[in-house]
Amino acid sequence: MAILLAGALTAVLAVCAVAGLFILRNAGGSPEERIEPARSQQSAAARPKTTFTPFEVVPAACDLVKPETAARLVPDTTARPHEGTEADDYSKCSWGELGASHPRELAIEVRGITGSTPIKQAVSTFQEEATADEGGEGLLSGQRLKRFQNVEGIGEQAYELFIAEKFQGQGIVNVQVGNVLLTVSYGGSAKEDTPLSEDMCLDGAREVAKAAAEAVRNQAA
């Protein structure tokens, strides 16, 4: 099984080729139970910083994750860039491969929003995707959205999800920094038939997302 990334649950991009652990976008469905805690309203005051120069070419996803962090979260793996999908406005990278020799997988997706007002459009896109994600759009049968919550102190705006399946758990943190949208996914199993805990999944995803957001901010001229 493979983790599929969500910048939102509505525009899926596969992280690896092994057939699907979590399909988080472009598939109908609804969560099987009420989400706790409920999401507070995204702040309308979230504003891009005026010092941020929008990226025309997004940073390489693999370069946004420290090798020592990836090695700790997914031991005995190396960065796997997804070169077939690379573009000026898109990059992704993953470590591990669920369903193969590793019970865990870490992945990061980087999207650049373009247009006449790219930062404003990124803010709007992020908030639209947050609304869709809160509603659990794209969950498949057997998947449960067990957590949706805003996160302070990461990028301009951020929120986190925890998605549970019978044998797998997945934490996702979505972040907006200027005209860049980041999605970090971390999850898998602790041992055979035992999902990785919610805290472990979200702690790992949150750590990587915060460092990646800071790296993007530092690279902005």
Side-chain angles (χ1 to χ4, degrees):
M1 290 186 179
I3 291 177
L4 301 185
L5 284 182
L9 302 180
T10 54
V12 71
L13 286 161
V15 176
C16 61
V18 183
L21 166 59
F22 298 116
I23 298 180
L24 302 178
R25 308 180 195 146
N26 284 339
S30 60
E32 297 179 2
E33 63 185 25
R34 189 173 183 82
I35 304 164
E36 295 294 345
R39 179 175 73 92
S40 60
Q41 185 67 29
Q42 285 282 352
S43 172
R47 296 285 186 266
K49 292 183 172 146
T50 57
T51 56
F52 193 100
T53 300
F55 283 92
E56 294 183 3
V57 179
V58 298
C62 292
D63 294 343
L64 296 178
V65 181
K66 295 179 180 179
E68 58 268 27
T69 301
R72 174 166 44 82
L73 294 174
V74 189
D76 303 318
T77 61
T78 57
R80 191 170 75 250
H82 294 244
E83 296 175 349
T85 62
E86 293 290 303
D88 286 352
D89 62 353
Y90 184 78
S91 180
K92 64 180 176 179
C93 188
S94 60
W95 293 256
E97 188 174 349
L98 294 175
S101 58
H102 299 99
R104 302 181 187 184
E105 185 172 56
L106 168 67
I108 181 169
E109 175 187 84
V110 185
R111 291 180 289 154
I113 304 301
T114 59
S116 58
T117 56
I119 296 178
K120 182 177 179 180
Q121 289 172 253
V123 171
S124 176
T125 298
F126 180 91
Q127 293 176 344
E128 290 172 1
E129 292 179 352
T131 298
D133 283 359
E134 183 185 13
E137 294 182 15
L139 292 177
L140 296 181
S141 176
Q143 298 174 352
R144 292 173 296 158
L145 178 55
K146 302 202 61 167
R147 182 181 182 89
F148 187 108
Q149 183 170 294
N150 288 338
V151 179
E152 299 295 330
I154 302 180
E156 318 292 351
Q157 306 179 84
Y159 63 89
E160 62 188 20
L161 314 166
F162 179 69
I163 296 174
E165 205 175 28
K166 186 174 182 181
F167 301 125
Q168 310 285 352
Q170 183 186 30
I172 299 170
V173 177
N174 289 317
V175 186
Q176 177 248 325
V177 188
N179 73 316
V180 174
L181 301 181
L182 301 171
T183 296
V184 174
S185 172
Y186 177 58
S189 57
K191 57 183 179 179
E192 187 176 357
D193 297 342
T194 304
L196 203 62
S197 73
E198 178 175 338
D199 286 345
M200 288 189 69
C201 290
L202 288 174
D203 285 349
R206 207 180 295 124
E207 176 186 359
V208 173
K210 183 174 183 178
E214 290 173 354
V216 169
R217 166 61 64 187
N218 290 337
Q219 289 183 38

